[in-house]
Amino acid sequence: MNEKEIAEIRRRLTPDKSSITQIFGCYVNEKREIISQFSQSLGIISEEEAKAYLTIFKRSLAGTPGQNLLDVAFTTRQVMDGAEEHRRLMELRDSGLKDEARIEEFFALAKDSIDMEGNFLILLAHDVYDVPWRSGDGNIDRDSSTQSFSYILCAVCPVKMAKPALSYRSDTNEFHRRDIDWVVSAPELGFLFPAFDGRRANIHNALYYTKNTAVRQDAFIEAMFRTDMPRPADEQKETFRGLLSEALEDECNYELVQTVHDRISERIDIHKEAREEEPLTVSKGEVRRILEDCGISEAHANAFEERFNSEFGEDTALVPHNIINKRQFELRTPDVVIHVNPERSDLIETRVINGMKYILISADQGVEVNGVNIQINE
């Protein structure tokens, strides 16, 4: 799913737009015991409470594709042979969450596979979206629909004990002590099934959400989808950094890392300005060409390819945001950390003077130390 398709589904998740009428929940304690399993009709609760439920699902579709939002691809065999993990999701979707046995089975499977400290809440909802017709130039006719998109949403939220505090009461115009209570936090993980690809249902895919890009919830993914998933974004970044330094050895210098960062940042900017719908990726070959433009040897270029194939897979393309931080450029030694405006990395250079290695920073004006303006004297 691309950003526009995700945003289109997110915009539905309000009381006046969605056709969600029932929310199914399972409240689990720290011992993985079900405290409560319930069905909540949105028609008999206040609009504020209905909005709160839908906001949770909306947040489970928030973030950056390739980082917080990951495509789950079922194999052809899983779909064609009706593998249990795929059939379970299809039956939940096709029944409109009216099969109580399947819902209970889902909650039991999910609660045992989720790695989360303390209490948590699992929520399920079903929606049917009459997809409005869109012309080739992007105009949408909301009064015309040629197909429906039936899908389920799952969100898993920590439930935490709120701290006692003073709280304002409008009925008395006073502040009073608020009692300790259990509060539902923003979702940590969730998914949408099937995917909304090309503005239609794609039963071969799902969209998985993780709030923490360093954590992937492998047991939950295995239980729900039983298919390969990309590494967590933070792990991809660390792996790519290590791959460069280890494969390029003595040719991995400041100028090379600066060029890799600048060229990939440029690709991100061009993609954004073009407003392309498909997510941007960077291939192994593209990174190799950048390295070759920096003048690295063929032996080190080959070593990079071999390490890339070993770590990520021969045909894998990476999401740029997962391998660089466009907004940050950092130099680090065991004792010093230097943060540089990425657009002014040209102010830094490295030198060897009298056998000593130095990081040099151009600083003609505006130098502060602990907030105090200082002068650099000759």
Side-chain angles (χ1 to χ4, degrees):
M1 291 177 63
N2 60 44
E3 290 184 359
K4 285 189 176 181
E5 291 161 345
I6 295 169
E8 187 169 350
I9 299 301
R10 290 187 78 243
R11 284 194 294 269
R12 280 192 54 73
L13 299 176
T14 59
D16 59 323
K17 291 182 180 179
S18 83
S19 63
I20 297 174
T21 59
Q22 206 83 2
I23 301 290
F24 298 86
C26 180
Y27 183 28
V28 183
N29 65 19
E30 70 280 359
K31 298 178 181 179
R32 296 299 181 271
E33 299 168 339
I34 295 178
I35 300 173
S36 172
Q37 190 168 313
F38 60 89
S39 171
Q40 178 69 66
S41 172
L42 296 190
I44 62 174
I45 61 177
S46 68
E47 183 175 344
E48 289 75 16
E49 290 175 326
K51 184 178 179 180
Y53 275 117
L54 294 176
T55 296
I56 288 173
F57 288 116
K58 182 180 289 189
R59 288 181 176 176
S60 71
L61 295 176
T64 304
Q67 292 185 316
N68 308 88
L69 297 167
L70 303 174
D71 282 320
V72 179
F74 292 99
T75 66
T76 301
R77 176 170 292 183
Q78 283 176 295
V79 178
M80 299 303 293
D81 293 350
E84 175 62 19
E85 60 277 2
H86 189 266
R87 187 171 69 251
R88 180 188 307 111
L89 296 176
M90 288 293 293
E91 290 177 355
L92 286 169
R93 192 280 300 259
D94 293 344
S95 71
L97 296 182
K98 292 181 172 61
D99 187 333
E100 294 183 5
R102 268 306 193 187
I103 293 173
E104 288 188 10
E105 176 192 2
F106 175 86
F107 283 147
L109 185 66
K111 75 165 179 78
D112 290 335
S113 62
I114 293 169
D115 182 12
M116 190 176 294
E117 293 185 2
N119 297 6
F120 58 87
L121 176 66
I122 310 169
L123 294 175
L124 267 179
H126 173 259
D127 186 26
V128 178
Y129 175 33
D130 290 327
V131 183
W133 181 80
R134 185 170 70 179
S135 64
D137 59 6
N139 291 323
I140 292 179
D141 182 359
R142 300 196 180 279
D143 296 324
S144 176
S145 174
T146 58
Q147 60 182 318
S148 294
F149 174 54
S150 173
Y151 64 99
I152 58 173
L153 285 164
C154 172
V156 182
C157 308
V159 179
K160 300 178 180 179
M161 184 76 78
K163 295 180 180 179
L166 287 176
S167 177
Y168 176 71
R169 292 184 55 177
S170 57
D171 56 338
T172 61
N173 197 31
E174 296 174 338
F175 283 88
H176 294 277
R177 177 181 171 84
R178 183 188 69 190
D179 292 334
I180 297 175
D181 204 355
W182 291 97
V183 177
V184 178
S185 301
E188 292 282 341
L189 63 144
F191 67 84
L192 173 149
F193 176 83
F196 187 56
D197 287 333
R199 304 184 71 239
R200 57 174 58 88
N202 175 8
I203 64 171
H204 289 78
N205 286 67
L207 185 69
Y208 174 73
Y209 167 78
T210 176
K211 181 179 179 181
N212 186 346
T213 58
V215 177
R216 195 171 58 177
Q217 292 278 353
D218 286 338
F220 180 76
I221 291 170
E222 175 65 18
M224 293 296 110
F225 313 118
R226 203 163 297 166
T227 190
D228 292 334
M229 291 278 287
R231 296 183 182 188
D234 289 9
E235 185 180 327
Q236 289 185 41
K237 186 175 295 181
E238 290 303 315
T239 300
F240 183 77
R241 290 170 175 174
L243 188 157
L244 284 181
S245 61
E246 293 168 16
L248 306 185
E249 298 177 319
D250 60 330
E251 289 190 286
C252 188
N253 55 33
Y254 175 81
E255 290 75 16
L256 181 142
V257 175
Q258 178 191 35
T259 301
V260 170
H261 185 278
D262 290 349
R263 292 273 288 273
I264 294 178
S265 295
E266 184 180 352
R267 284 286 314 278
I268 294 172
D269 290 337
I270 292 173
H271 184 268
K272 183 177 181 180
E273 290 172 6
R275 296 184 178 180
E276 296 181 17
E277 294 187 5
E278 292 305 312
L280 175 64
T281 59
V282 176
S283 69
K284 171 186 61 183
E286 289 175 291
V287 179
R288 174 168 179 150
R289 284 192 290 275
I290 296 173
L291 300 180
E292 289 175 336
D293 289 344
C294 293
I296 68 166
S297 65
E298 184 176 356
H300 280 147
N302 291 337
F304 165 78
E305 281 211 22
E306 291 174 5
R307 291 296 300 273
F308 188 101
N309 293 343
S310 174
E311 295 289 352
F312 294 109
E314 187 172 352
D315 299 321
T316 301
L318 302 177
V319 177
H321 290 288
N322 290 356
I323 56 177
I324 70 162
N325 185 341
K326 185 180 179 298
R327 298 182 180 87
Q328 179 179 316
F329 196 84
E330 178 186 281
L331 292 86
R332 181 182 294 269
T333 75
D335 302 306
V336 177
V337 178
I338 304 170
H339 294 283
V340 185
N341 179 347
E343 296 180 359
R344 295 311 313 271
S345 60
D346 59 297
L347 296 174
I348 307 294
E349 61 177 303
T350 57
R351 284 192 197 173
V352 178
I353 303 174
N354 297 328
M356 294 289 292
K357 298 176 182 178
Y358 291 91
I359 299 171
L360 303 183
I361 307 171
S362 176
D364 288 336
Q365 58 184 355
V367 180
E368 294 183 2
V369 176
N370 288 339
V372 178
N373 288 311
I374 66 164
Q375 302 299 317
I376 301 176
N377 302 317
E378 295 186 6

